Amino acid sequence: MRNAPQRAHARIRGERCGPPFPIYRDPAGELLAAHASADSASNATVAHILAVASGYAYADLETMATMMSRVGFAEHATVCVSQTVDAMYIDSTAYLTQSRCGRVAILSYRGTPPASLVTWLGDADVGSDSM
């Protein structure tokens, strides 16, 4: 069946890193403590961890797991779920990374891959407007 939806899912366990990693000693603790107080101060460590997860959501599962290990999530579990439907220009991928302790999970979702011209064309908002 041509243009049938393609679904994939996989799970990987993160490894412990050697020096100079991990970057943060207790990223799960940092994330859990981020909203424990009523002040609205931002936390640079939390921002960095989430930026790494967001940016590497455009990579493959192994790279995502490696980067989450490097920020400090040793022996975490990362799951990748993706769905591709060519006929509808759908190319969707999500990663769920859970800390070893199980108290923290980060959901990272990626949109249109930057190198996919066909997907960009499908996302383009085109139409005519009368002036």
Side-chain angles (χ1 to χ4, degrees):
M1 182 174 198
R2 191 163 185 242
N3 290 329
Q6 301 167 19
R7 185 174 309 146
H9 58 280
R11 181 181 188 272
I12 194 168
R13 182 176 177 204
E15 299 178 356
R16 290 194 175 273
C17 295
F21 302 106
I23 297 171
Y24 303 111
R25 191 179 66 77
D26 183 21
E30 288 276 347
L31 289 164
L32 289 169
H35 295 289
S37 64
D39 70 353
S40 61
S42 63
N43 182 317
T45 301
V46 171
H48 182 235
I49 292 167
L50 296 179
V52 168
S54 174
Y56 282 95
Y58 287 87
D60 59 22
L61 176 60
E62 291 79 15
T63 303
M64 177 67 154
T66 297
M67 296 311 294
M68 296 310 289
S69 291
R70 287 181 178 179
V71 296
F73 285 102
E75 300 176 0
H76 68 277
T78 296
V79 176
C80 173
V81 179
S82 64
Q83 177 76 41
T84 302
V85 183
D86 293 334
M88 296 177 66
Y89 302 111
I90 295 172
D91 187 0
S92 181
T93 301
Y95 292 100
L96 181 67
T97 299
Q98 184 175 22
S99 63
R100 183 174 185 260
C101 65
R103 299 181 303 150
V104 172
I106 299 171
L107 179 63
S108 307
Y109 178 80
R110 79 173 179 214
T112 305
S116 175
L117 179 61
V118 172
T119 308
W120 276 98
L121 291 173
D123 288 349
D125 185 13
V126 295
S128 61
D129 289 332
S130 56
M131 300 282 236

PDB file of all heavy atoms in Angstrom, residues 97-122:
ATOM      1  N   THR A  97      11.501  11.686  27.912  1.00  0.00           N
ATOM      2  CA  THR A  97      12.659  11.299  28.710  1.00  0.00           C
ATOM      3  C   THR A  97      12.245  11.285  30.171  1.00  0.00           C
ATOM      4  O   THR A  97      11.731  12.287  30.679  1.00  0.00           O
ATOM      5  CB  THR A  97      13.826  12.281  28.504  1.00  0.00           C
ATOM      6  OG1 THR A  97      14.202  12.267  27.132  1.00  0.00           O
ATOM      7  CG2 THR A  97      15.029  11.895  29.359  1.00  0.00           C
ATOM      8  N   GLN A  98      12.456  10.166  30.834  1.00  0.00           N
ATOM      9  CA  GLN A  98      12.114  10.045  32.249  1.00  0.00           C
ATOM     10  C   GLN A  98      13.389   9.803  33.044  1.00  0.00           C
ATOM     11  O   GLN A  98      14.228   8.979  32.670  1.00  0.00           O
ATOM     12  CB  GLN A  98      11.141   8.903  32.488  1.00  0.00           C
ATOM     13  CG  GLN A  98      10.683   8.806  33.933  1.00  0.00           C
ATOM     14  CD  GLN A  98       9.637   7.741  34.135  1.00  0.00           C
ATOM     15  OE1 GLN A  98       9.517   6.810  33.349  1.00  0.00           O
ATOM     16  NE2 GLN A  98       8.869   7.883  35.193  1.00  0.00           N
ATOM     17  N   SER A  99      13.516  10.546  34.146  1.00  0.00           N
ATOM     18  CA  SER A  99      14.689  10.391  35.005  1.00  0.00           C
ATOM     19  C   SER A  99      14.717   8.997  35.620  1.00  0.00           C
ATOM     20  O   SER A  99      13.687   8.318  35.706  1.00  0.00           O
ATOM     21  CB  SER A  99      14.673  11.448  36.107  1.00  0.00           C
ATOM     22  OG  SER A  99      13.550  11.272  36.945  1.00  0.00           O
ATOM     23  N   ARG A 100      15.890   8.579  36.052  1.00  0.00           N
ATOM     24  CA  ARG A 100      16.046   7.245  36.655  1.00  0.00           C
ATOM     25  C   ARG A 100      15.149   7.088  37.869  1.00  0.00           C
ATOM     26  O   ARG A 100      14.567   6.031  38.089  1.00  0.00           O
ATOM     27  CB  ARG A 100      17.503   7.022  37.043  1.00  0.00           C
ATOM     28  CG  ARG A 100      17.756   5.644  37.605  1.00  0.00           C
ATOM     29  CD  ARG A 100      19.253   5.428  37.834  1.00  0.00           C
ATOM     30  NE  ARG A 100      19.493   4.073  38.262  1.00  0.00           N
ATOM     31  CZ  ARG A 100      19.698   3.726  39.524  1.00  0.00           C
ATOM     32  NH1 ARG A 100      19.694   4.627  40.469  1.00  0.00           N
ATOM     33  NH2 ARG A 100      19.923   2.461  39.829  1.00  0.00           N
ATOM     34  N   CYS A 101      14.995   8.172  38.654  1.00  0.00           N
ATOM     35  CA  CYS A 101      14.165   8.111  39.865  1.00  0.00           C
ATOM     36  C   CYS A 101      12.673   8.072  39.527  1.00  0.00           C
ATOM     37  O   CYS A 101      11.858   7.734  40.372  1.00  0.00           O
ATOM     38  CB  CYS A 101      14.462   9.297  40.785  1.00  0.00           C
ATOM     39  SG  CYS A 101      14.018  10.913  40.097  1.00  0.00           S
ATOM     40  N   GLY A 102      12.318   8.438  38.299  1.00  0.00           N
ATOM     41  CA  GLY A 102      10.923   8.408  37.876  1.00  0.00           C
ATOM     42  C   GLY A 102      10.105   9.626  38.264  1.00  0.00           C
ATOM     43  O   GLY A 102       8.932   9.719  37.938  1.00  0.00           O
ATOM     44  N   ARG A 103      10.727  10.604  38.934  1.00  0.00           N
ATOM     45  CA  ARG A 103       9.982  11.776  39.395  1.00  0.00           C
ATOM     46  C   ARG A 103       9.893  12.876  38.349  1.00  0.00           C
ATOM     47  O   ARG A 103       9.077  13.781  38.477  1.00  0.00           O
ATOM     48  CB  ARG A 103      10.614  12.343  40.661  1.00  0.00           C
ATOM     49  CG  ARG A 103      10.607  11.361  41.819  1.00  0.00           C
ATOM     50  CD  ARG A 103      11.228  11.950  43.078  1.00  0.00           C
ATOM     51  NE  ARG A 103      12.577  12.400  42.812  1.00  0.00           N
ATOM     52  CZ  ARG A 103      13.170  13.415  43.441  1.00  0.00           C
ATOM     53  NH1 ARG A 103      12.538  14.078  44.373  1.00  0.00           N
ATOM     54  NH2 ARG A 103      14.408  13.759  43.149  1.00  0.00           N
ATOM     55  N   VAL A 104      10.702  12.810  37.307  1.00  0.00           N
ATOM     56  CA  VAL A 104      10.725  13.860  36.291  1.00  0.00           C
ATOM     57  C   VAL A 104      10.608  13.231  34.908  1.00  0.00           C
ATOM     58  O   VAL A 104      11.273  12.239  34.600  1.00  0.00           O
ATOM     59  CB  VAL A 104      12.034  14.684  36.366  1.00  0.00           C
ATOM     60  CG1 VAL A 104      12.152  15.635  35.198  1.00  0.00           C
ATOM     61  CG2 VAL A 104      12.106  15.441  37.682  1.00  0.00           C
ATOM     62  N   ALA A 105       9.758  13.820  34.092  1.00  0.00           N
ATOM     63  CA  ALA A 105       9.645  13.424  32.687  1.00  0.00           C
ATOM     64  C   ALA A 105       9.619  14.694  31.844  1.00  0.00           C
ATOM     65  O   ALA A 105       8.977  15.679  32.207  1.00  0.00           O
ATOM     66  CB  ALA A 105       8.395  12.601  32.445  1.00  0.00           C
ATOM     67  N   ILE A 106      10.334  14.672  30.743  1.00  0.00           N
ATOM     68  CA  ILE A 106      10.383  15.801  29.822  1.00  0.00           C
ATOM     69  C   ILE A 106       9.835  15.323  28.487  1.00  0.00           C
ATOM     70  O   ILE A 106      10.348  14.371  27.896  1.00  0.00           O
ATOM     71  CB  ILE A 106      11.822  16.316  29.641  1.00  0.00           C
ATOM     72  CG1 ILE A 106      12.391  16.793  30.976  1.00  0.00           C
ATOM     73  CG2 ILE A 106      11.864  17.429  28.606  1.00  0.00           C
ATOM     74  CD1 ILE A 106      13.874  17.121  30.923  1.00  0.00           C
ATOM     75  N   LEU A 107       8.814  15.994  28.002  1.00  0.00           N
ATOM     76  CA  LEU A 107       8.229  15.683  26.703  1.00  0.00           C
ATOM     77  C   LEU A 107       8.742  16.698  25.695  1.00  0.00           C
ATOM     78  O   LEU A 107       8.562  17.904  25.877  1.00  0.00           O
ATOM     79  CB  LEU A 107       6.702  15.728  26.771  1.00  0.00           C
ATOM     80  CG  LEU A 107       5.962  15.437  25.469  1.00  0.00           C
ATOM     81  CD1 LEU A 107       6.250  14.017  24.986  1.00  0.00           C
ATOM     82  CD2 LEU A 107       4.477  15.657  25.650  1.00  0.00           C
ATOM     83  N   SER A 108       9.394  16.219  24.660  1.00  0.00           N
ATOM     84  CA  SER A 108       9.942  17.081  23.601  1.00  0.00           C
ATOM     85  C   SER A 108       9.258  16.699  22.301  1.00  0.00           C
ATOM     86  O   SER A 108       9.250  15.537  21.914  1.00  0.00           O
ATOM     87  CB  SER A 108      11.447  16.873  23.455  1.00  0.00           C
ATOM     88  OG  SER A 108      12.094  17.020  24.689  1.00  0.00           O
ATOM     89  N   TYR A 109       8.730  17.690  21.626  1.00  0.00           N
ATOM     90  CA  TYR A 109       8.007  17.455  20.374  1.00  0.00           C
ATOM     91  C   TYR A 109       8.676  18.242  19.268  1.00  0.00           C
ATOM     92  O   TYR A 109       9.024  19.409  19.450  1.00  0.00           O
ATOM     93  CB  TYR A 109       6.550  17.891  20.522  1.00  0.00           C
ATOM     94  CG  TYR A 109       5.755  17.723  19.261  1.00  0.00           C
ATOM     95  CD1 TYR A 109       5.267  16.478  18.899  1.00  0.00           C
ATOM     96  CD2 TYR A 109       5.513  18.796  18.428  1.00  0.00           C
ATOM     97  CE1 TYR A 109       4.539  16.314  17.732  1.00  0.00           C
ATOM     98  CE2 TYR A 109       4.782  18.644  17.256  1.00  0.00           C
ATOM     99  CZ  TYR A 109       4.308  17.400  16.914  1.00  0.00           C
ATOM    100  OH  TYR A 109       3.597  17.236  15.762  1.00  0.00           O
ATOM    101  N   ARG A 110       8.859  17.610  18.135  1.00  0.00           N
ATOM    102  CA  ARG A 110       9.454  18.345  17.016  1.00  0.00           C
ATOM    103  C   ARG A 110       8.430  18.513  15.913  1.00  0.00           C
ATOM    104  O   ARG A 110       7.616  17.631  15.644  1.00  0.00           O
ATOM    105  CB  ARG A 110      10.707  17.669  16.512  1.00  0.00           C
ATOM    106  CG  ARG A 110      10.490  16.482  15.613  1.00  0.00           C
ATOM    107  CD  ARG A 110      11.828  16.025  15.051  1.00  0.00           C
ATOM    108  NE  ARG A 110      11.680  14.866  14.208  1.00  0.00           N
ATOM    109  CZ  ARG A 110      12.576  13.919  14.129  1.00  0.00           C
ATOM    110  NH1 ARG A 110      13.674  13.969  14.835  1.00  0.00           N
ATOM    111  NH2 ARG A 110      12.385  12.899  13.326  1.00  0.00           N
ATOM    112  N   GLY A 111       8.522  19.640  15.294  1.00  0.00           N
ATOM    113  CA  GLY A 111       7.641  19.943  14.176  1.00  0.00           C
ATOM    114  C   GLY A 111       8.309  19.595  12.864  1.00  0.00           C
ATOM    115  O   GLY A 111       8.994  18.591  12.742  1.00  0.00           O
ATOM    116  N   THR A 112       8.150  20.449  11.908  1.00  0.00           N
ATOM    117  CA  THR A 112       8.667  20.225  10.568  1.00  0.00           C
ATOM    118  C   THR A 112      10.187  20.153  10.560  1.00  0.00           C
ATOM    119  O   THR A 112      10.839  21.088  11.006  1.00  0.00           O
ATOM    120  CB  THR A 112       8.231  21.374   9.634  1.00  0.00           C
ATOM    121  OG1 THR A 112       6.810  21.477   9.687  1.00  0.00           O
ATOM    122  CG2 THR A 112       8.680  21.134   8.217  1.00  0.00           C
ATOM    123  N   PRO A 113      10.770  19.061  10.084  1.00  0.00           N
ATOM    124  CA  PRO A 113      12.222  19.015   9.962  1.00  0.00           C
ATOM    125  C   PRO A 113      12.694  20.097   8.993  1.00  0.00           C
ATOM    126  O   PRO A 113      12.135  20.245   7.904  1.00  0.00           O
ATOM    127  CB  PRO A 113      12.509  17.624   9.394  1.00  0.00           C
ATOM    128  CG  PRO A 113      11.284  16.829   9.698  1.00  0.00           C
ATOM    129  CD  PRO A 113      10.145  17.810   9.686  1.00  0.00           C
ATOM    130  N   PRO A 114      13.694  20.875   9.352  1.00  0.00           N
ATOM    131  CA  PRO A 114      14.117  22.004   8.527  1.00  0.00           C
ATOM    132  C   PRO A 114      14.583  21.616   7.128  1.00  0.00           C
ATOM    133  O   PRO A 114      14.488  22.412   6.211  1.00  0.00           O
ATOM    134  CB  PRO A 114      15.263  22.633   9.306  1.00  0.00           C
ATOM    135  CG  PRO A 114      15.336  21.950  10.600  1.00  0.00           C
ATOM    136  CD  PRO A 114      14.441  20.772  10.580  1.00  0.00           C
ATOM    137  N   ALA A 115      15.066  20.399   6.933  1.00  0.00           N
ATOM    138  CA  ALA A 115      15.595  20.003   5.630  1.00  0.00           C
ATOM    139  C   ALA A 115      14.546  19.374   4.721  1.00  0.00           C
ATOM    140  O   ALA A 115      14.857  18.978   3.609  1.00  0.00           O
ATOM    141  CB  ALA A 115      16.752  19.035   5.818  1.00  0.00           C
ATOM    142  N   SER A 116      13.300  19.283   5.148  1.00  0.00           N
ATOM    143  CA  SER A 116      12.271  18.618   4.367  1.00  0.00           C
ATOM    144  C   SER A 116      11.466  19.633   3.561  1.00  0.00           C
ATOM    145  O   SER A 116      10.510  20.225   4.050  1.00  0.00           O
ATOM    146  CB  SER A 116      11.339  17.830   5.289  1.00  0.00           C
ATOM    147  OG  SER A 116      10.278  17.286   4.550  1.00  0.00           O
ATOM    148  N   LEU A 117      11.830  19.816   2.305  1.00  0.00           N
ATOM    149  CA  LEU A 117      11.154  20.781   1.445  1.00  0.00           C
ATOM    150  C   LEU A 117       9.690  20.407   1.232  1.00  0.00           C
ATOM    151  O   LEU A 117       8.811  21.276   1.262  1.00  0.00           O
ATOM    152  CB  LEU A 117      11.870  20.881   0.096  1.00  0.00           C
ATOM    153  CG  LEU A 117      11.254  21.839  -0.919  1.00  0.00           C
ATOM    154  CD1 LEU A 117      11.251  23.255  -0.368  1.00  0.00           C
ATOM    155  CD2 LEU A 117      11.984  21.767  -2.238  1.00  0.00           C
ATOM    156  N   VAL A 118       9.393  19.127   1.057  1.00  0.00           N
ATOM    157  CA  VAL A 118       8.014  18.692   0.840  1.00  0.00           C
ATOM    158  C   VAL A 118       7.145  19.053   2.045  1.00  0.00           C
ATOM    159  O   VAL A 118       6.032  19.546   1.904  1.00  0.00           O
ATOM    160  CB  VAL A 118       7.965  17.169   0.559  1.00  0.00           C
ATOM    161  CG1 VAL A 118       6.536  16.664   0.524  1.00  0.00           C
ATOM    162  CG2 VAL A 118       8.675  16.860  -0.741  1.00  0.00           C
ATOM    163  N   THR A 119       7.666  18.844   3.234  1.00  0.00           N
ATOM    164  CA  THR A 119       6.903  19.164   4.436  1.00  0.00           C
ATOM    165  C   THR A 119       6.722  20.669   4.570  1.00  0.00           C
ATOM    166  O   THR A 119       5.663  21.141   4.973  1.00  0.00           O
ATOM    167  CB  THR A 119       7.598  18.577   5.681  1.00  0.00           C
ATOM    168  OG1 THR A 119       7.850  17.202   5.440  1.00  0.00           O
ATOM    169  CG2 THR A 119       6.722  18.698   6.901  1.00  0.00           C
ATOM    170  N   TRP A 120       7.748  21.433   4.236  1.00  0.00           N
ATOM    171  CA  TRP A 120       7.627  22.895   4.284  1.00  0.00           C
ATOM    172  C   TRP A 120       6.541  23.371   3.319  1.00  0.00           C
ATOM    173  O   TRP A 120       5.758  24.256   3.633  1.00  0.00           O
ATOM    174  CB  TRP A 120       8.957  23.564   3.937  1.00  0.00           C
ATOM    175  CG  TRP A 120       9.855  23.669   5.117  1.00  0.00           C
ATOM    176  CD1 TRP A 120      10.879  22.814   5.437  1.00  0.00           C
ATOM    177  CD2 TRP A 120       9.803  24.646   6.144  1.00  0.00           C
ATOM    178  NE1 TRP A 120      11.457  23.214   6.611  1.00  0.00           N
ATOM    179  CE2 TRP A 120      10.831  24.334   7.063  1.00  0.00           C
ATOM    180  CE3 TRP A 120       9.001  25.752   6.392  1.00  0.00           C
ATOM    181  CZ2 TRP A 120      11.066  25.095   8.198  1.00  0.00           C
ATOM    182  CZ3 TRP A 120       9.242  26.516   7.525  1.00  0.00           C
ATOM    183  CH2 TRP A 120      10.265  26.178   8.409  1.00  0.00           C
ATOM    184  N   LEU A 121       6.479  22.780   2.144  1.00  0.00           N
ATOM    185  CA  LEU A 121       5.463  23.166   1.185  1.00  0.00           C
ATOM    186  C   LEU A 121       4.068  22.844   1.719  1.00  0.00           C
ATOM    187  O   LEU A 121       3.119  23.599   1.532  1.00  0.00           O
ATOM    188  CB  LEU A 121       5.681  22.471  -0.166  1.00  0.00           C
ATOM    189  CG  LEU A 121       6.899  22.939  -0.939  1.00  0.00           C
ATOM    190  CD1 LEU A 121       7.103  22.063  -2.173  1.00  0.00           C
ATOM    191  CD2 LEU A 121       6.789  24.389  -1.325  1.00  0.00           C
ATOM    192  N   GLY A 122       3.954  21.726   2.401  1.00  0.00           N
ATOM    193  CA  GLY A 122       2.669  21.347   3.012  1.00  0.00           C
ATOM    194  C   GLY A 122       2.269  22.280   4.141  1.00  0.00           C
ATOM    195  O   GLY A 122       1.091  22.507   4.403  1.00  0.00           O
TER     196      GLY A 122
END
